[in-house]
Amino acid sequence: MKRNRTLAAAAMVAALALTTAACGGSKGGTADDNAGASKGGSATAGFNAAVDKVVNPSTQKGGTLNLWSSTDVDSLDPGRAYYASVWNYERFYTRTLLAYDGKPGKDGLKLVPDLASAQPEVSADGKTYTFKLKPGLKFEDGSVITSKDIKYGIERIFAQDVISGGPTYLINELDQGQDYKGPYTDTDPNKLGLKSVQTPDDTTIVFTLAKPNSTFPYLLAMGSAAPVPQKLDTGATYGSKPVSSGPYKFKSAEPGKGYELVRNENWDPASDPFRKALPDVVKLTITTNADDMDARLLANTADLDWAQTGLSQNAQAQVLQDEKLKANTDDPFNGFIRYVTIAPTVAPFDNVHCRNAVLYAADTTALQTARGGSVAGALFGSMLPPNILGSDDYDPFGLTKGKPNKDKAKEELAACGKPDGFKTTIAVRSNKAKEVNSAVALQAALKEVGIEVTVDQYDGKLISSVIGAPDVVKSKGYGLIVMGWGADYPTGSGFLQPLVDGRFITSNGNNNYAEINDPEINGWFDQAAQETDPAKAADLYKKINHKVIDGAYYLPMVADKALNWRNPRLTNVYITDAFGEVDFQALGVSDGK
């Protein structure tokens, strides 16, 4: 998925923050107090003004926040969602033991207590985490949130035959050989049979790990660790209207059309460290016409692109030629790498030389242009983004030079026994225009060396069951897969592990599209997890990154940027490095409409 870091040191800041005292937000105070005044508020917007400070700080409540998107949610179920913007959107209706602070820039990377009353008590051996819950926590129906609701919510994701598509880190950490299959087949009378998580009383939850893992607290800030009331769980359909534990609840949810959030009267602001809850209503409108959405944004009849993937090329050109319009935009690195998987499970890419040929033949300037030019991303040579500790300028295939090396590509084709080229298929989401443009650009470049590519567009809502299903990838012959990725949490494992650790391969909702399962790579992740020194962990992530790119499993296109519009009427606007996007929950509207 999906997270941004604007500074290389940000990952270290976040890791060290876990050892510091909690700084849960003020219960009252001024808008600047609650929105990161240390970064400075700004009453006057400007280009990139929201990257590291709060634009238009305000405490004004009321009105309707109008979000628009040309991409639908992948799921509203916090256990199944994996889109960055859904994780951000969940902050309206989902709470977790820990959460990323509501502050701009790298300050937003700090984990603060949310449902928990304080940071966890950690045992001397680093294997046991004990949390106490705050008082006054309720679901939207008024029922009290207990430690058992949190345990049950975590148990749901073990039922991958029912709750698929979301992150599975907690399964890897907590199963520990039990082979737990989730609450739906649980023989425990209370459906709480996961042994590594205990709830000695309603306000205490204890996690016991098999071995120390310094990144474990990050996993508890994901929606997959959110509480779910067992009596209201509808299994695979829970995402049609999830039960709120946050300041808003769903009034309506119509996939493909839109979603409306209204205030949750059972949310207690005194228990919440950072959420603003300023608008009365939050509307998310789904459209199939991205150009129409951009026109609405520039006309200020829409407030923000929910997907935060940037204006279309035509709208970008209009904005960048007008300083007044440009002043309402931000263009930060968002922590994503946009890439093409070269699948070794699909012939002839089971031969590394055929994979090498694709990397040498790629016209990376054309790929960058397809995504919108330099404003949309910088050429990049490997698979660890520049704002994650451990990233470097490693570029063995010369991708940052911006032009294909046809001679080397032909040498590699000869070495893999395909001197005249071959045929393959590239899979791309039909509702992602920049990805479709990238697929067409790569198709043209590969044709120059004899590789014939068929572009197969699929419905992006079906990502888990199409490119996320290894059997489907093989049956459809998807040798190339266009995708983008950002860190699930701000370390090298948060970015790379779902993409390259063989233990993360699943039959549905898979993100390791190349199906890399290298014992050495898997072992380096384990070593890094036990490192309490972020710099030493970063050295291991660097080794993983180098081995992955040397194996030619991925063609990185750009280190992503996104030129996004913000309506001047919006208040409390800032980019949080936790999501690489505007922090939705902080937003208000100045005109009360």
Side-chain angles (χ1 to χ4, degrees):
M1 179 195 110
K2 308 130 183 159
R3 307 294 166 261
N4 172 39
R5 319 283 164 255
T6 54
L7 297 173
M12 182 178 291
V13 170
L16 294 177
L18 294 174
T19 66
T20 64
C23 67
S26 168
K27 300 293 189 295
T30 67
D32 281 359
D33 288 334
N34 293 334
S38 61
K39 300 301 293 183
S42 173
T44 304
F47 178 61
N48 273 341
V51 168
D52 60 357
K53 59 181 177 291
V54 181
V55 173
N56 298 332
S58 173
T59 57
Q60 180 177 330
K61 291 181 178 286
T64 298
L65 174 64
N66 288 305
L67 306 173
W68 278 65
S69 178
S70 59
T71 301
D72 203 350
V73 304
D74 56 343
S75 177
L76 295 176
D77 185 334
R80 305 188 72 175
Y82 225 140
Y83 279 1
S85 293
V86 178
W87 286 15
N88 191 354
Y89 186 62
E90 283 175 3
R91 283 156 76 86
F92 284 126
Y93 65 91
T94 298
R95 297 180 67 180
T96 45
L97 286 167
L98 300 171
Y100 291 101
D101 205 356
K103 292 181 180 178
K106 67 180 186 299
D107 288 345
L109 291 169
K110 184 173 182 177
L111 292 176
V112 297
D114 190 358
L115 295 175
S117 61
Q119 296 284 1
E121 178 184 327
V122 184
S123 62
D125 63 4
K127 296 181 182 180
T128 303
Y129 290 73
T130 301
F131 290 88
K132 292 285 188 179
L133 303 190
K134 293 172 180 173
L137 303 173
K138 294 181 180 180
F139 288 112
E140 66 177 75
D141 67 347
S143 61
V144 175
I145 298 172
T146 72
S147 56
K148 294 177 177 62
D149 296 312
I150 296 170
K151 179 177 181 178
Y152 181 80
I154 290 170
E155 287 183 337
R156 292 176 74 248
I157 67 169
F158 282 74
Q160 282 291 296
D161 57 330
V162 180
I163 310 299
S164 63
T168 58
Y169 297 100
L170 286 170
I171 298 176
N172 296 341
E173 284 296 327
L174 298 173
D175 188 64
Q176 301 170 19
Q178 184 181 345
D179 196 27
Y180 185 66
K181 297 299 184 183
Y184 309 117
T185 58
D186 196 337
T187 57
D188 181 272
N190 296 313
K191 305 298 182 184
L192 295 170
L194 180 61
K195 295 176 182 177
S196 56
V197 184
Q198 295 297 316
T199 55
D201 58 56
D202 283 351
T203 61
T204 306
I205 186 166
V206 182
F207 299 90
T208 302
L209 309 184
K211 54 189 175 182
N213 183 353
S214 59
T215 64
F216 181 67
Y218 292 111
L219 311 186
L220 300 179
M222 294 179 179
S224 50
V228 173
Q230 186 177 151
K231 64 181 181 180
L232 297 177
D233 181 19
T234 56
T237 63
Y238 183 72
S240 63
K241 197 173 183 183
V243 180
S244 174
S245 53
Y248 295 91
K249 62 183 180 181
F250 283 96
K251 178 180 179 181
S252 62
E254 298 182 80
K257 294 183 179 180
Y259 308 88
E260 183 172 339
L261 290 163
V262 295
R263 292 193 182 279
N264 173 14
E265 62 275 11
N266 282 303
W267 170 71
D268 181 1
S271 74
D272 206 319
F274 60 82
R275 289 178 180 84
K276 300 292 180 286
L278 296 180
D280 290 329
V281 177
V282 178
K283 288 186 177 180
L284 170 56
T285 301
I286 308 300
T287 179
T288 57
N289 189 334
D291 290 333
D292 174 63
M293 180 185 72
D294 285 349
R296 291 173 184 271
L297 288 167
L298 269 59
N300 293 317
T301 57
D303 289 324
L304 201 72
D305 173 8
W306 172 86
Q308 290 283 281
T309 52
L311 295 166
S312 64
Q313 291 187 42
N314 289 339
Q316 281 186 12
Q318 182 180 350
V319 165
L320 294 174
Q321 291 170 13
D322 186 325
E323 288 300 319
K324 290 183 179 179
L325 294 178
K326 186 178 177 182
N328 294 321
T329 62
D330 303 289
D331 187 36
F333 279 110
N334 61 17
F336 276 75
I337 297 288
R338 301 294 172 177
Y339 64 86
V340 178
T341 299
I342 309 172
T345 58
V346 176
F349 293 129
D350 50 344
N351 187 309
V352 67
H353 295 290
C354 284
R355 302 199 299 273
N356 290 343
V358 171
L359 283 157
Y360 283 120
D363 183 339
T364 49
T365 296
L367 290 171
Q368 181 188 49
T369 301
R371 291 203 58 82
S374 59
V375 73
L379 297 182
F380 205 63
S382 65
M383 285 297 292
L384 194 58
N387 22 42
I388 294 287
L389 205 61
S391 178
D392 59 9
D393 59 0
Y394 192 58
D395 183 17
F397 292 94
L399 301 175
T400 57
K401 294 179 180 178
K403 57 184 180 180
N405 187 335
K406 295 180 185 178
D407 291 339
K408 285 289 292 182
K410 290 176 180 178
E411 287 177 17
E412 294 292 340
L413 286 172
C416 79
K418 302 285 185 180
D420 298 322
F422 53 85
K423 294 182 179 180
T424 192
T425 299
I426 188 168
V428 61
R429 291 179 284 188
S430 61
N431 58 332
K432 294 281 190 178
K434 293 179 181 179
E435 293 185 2
V436 174
N437 293 342
S438 300
V440 172
L442 184 59
Q443 178 188 46
L446 296 185
K447 186 175 182 180
E448 293 292 312
V449 297
I451 301 174
E452 297 287 340
V453 177
T454 299
V455 177
D456 189 359
Q457 299 186 39
Y458 67 93
D459 187 339
K461 291 185 296 185
L462 304 178
I463 185 171
S464 292
S465 59
V466 181
I467 64 171
D471 287 347
V472 173
V473 169
K474 297 180 185 70
S475 67
K476 289 184 174 290
Y478 287 156
L480 303 169
I481 300 169
V482 181
M483 198 53 188
W485 191 256
D488 287 346
Y489 52 89
T491 70
S493 63
F495 186 90
L496 281 172
Q497 203 159 13
L499 303 183
V500 306
D501 189 326
R503 295 163 296 187
F504 281 67
I505 298 170
T506 59
S507 60
N508 193 279
N510 178 49
N511 293 290
N512 183 348
Y513 307 125
E515 294 187 62
I516 301 168
N517 191 8
D518 184 322
E520 188 171 42
I521 288 175
N522 299 349
W524 285 336
F525 278 120
D526 291 342
Q527 291 179 46
Q530 296 184 57
E531 281 289 352
T532 56
D533 181 345
K536 291 181 179 178
D539 287 339
L540 290 163
Y541 298 136
K542 182 183 296 185
K543 290 168 68 174
I544 294 168
N545 182 33
H546 287 196
K547 187 168 188 180
V548 166
I549 201 67
D550 287 344
Y553 301 108
Y554 293 103
L555 162 61
M557 296 186 289
V558 293
D560 207 40
K561 293 183 177 182
L563 184 71
N564 281 302
W565 181 268
R566 44 177 154 75
N567 191 323
R569 81 176 188 133
L570 291 175
T571 63
N572 296 326
V573 189
Y574 59 84
I575 308 294
T576 171
D577 281 11
F579 298 94
E581 304 177 342
V582 170
D583 190 354
F584 297 155
Q585 64 77 28
L587 295 172
V589 294
S590 60
D591 57 10
K593 297 179 181 179

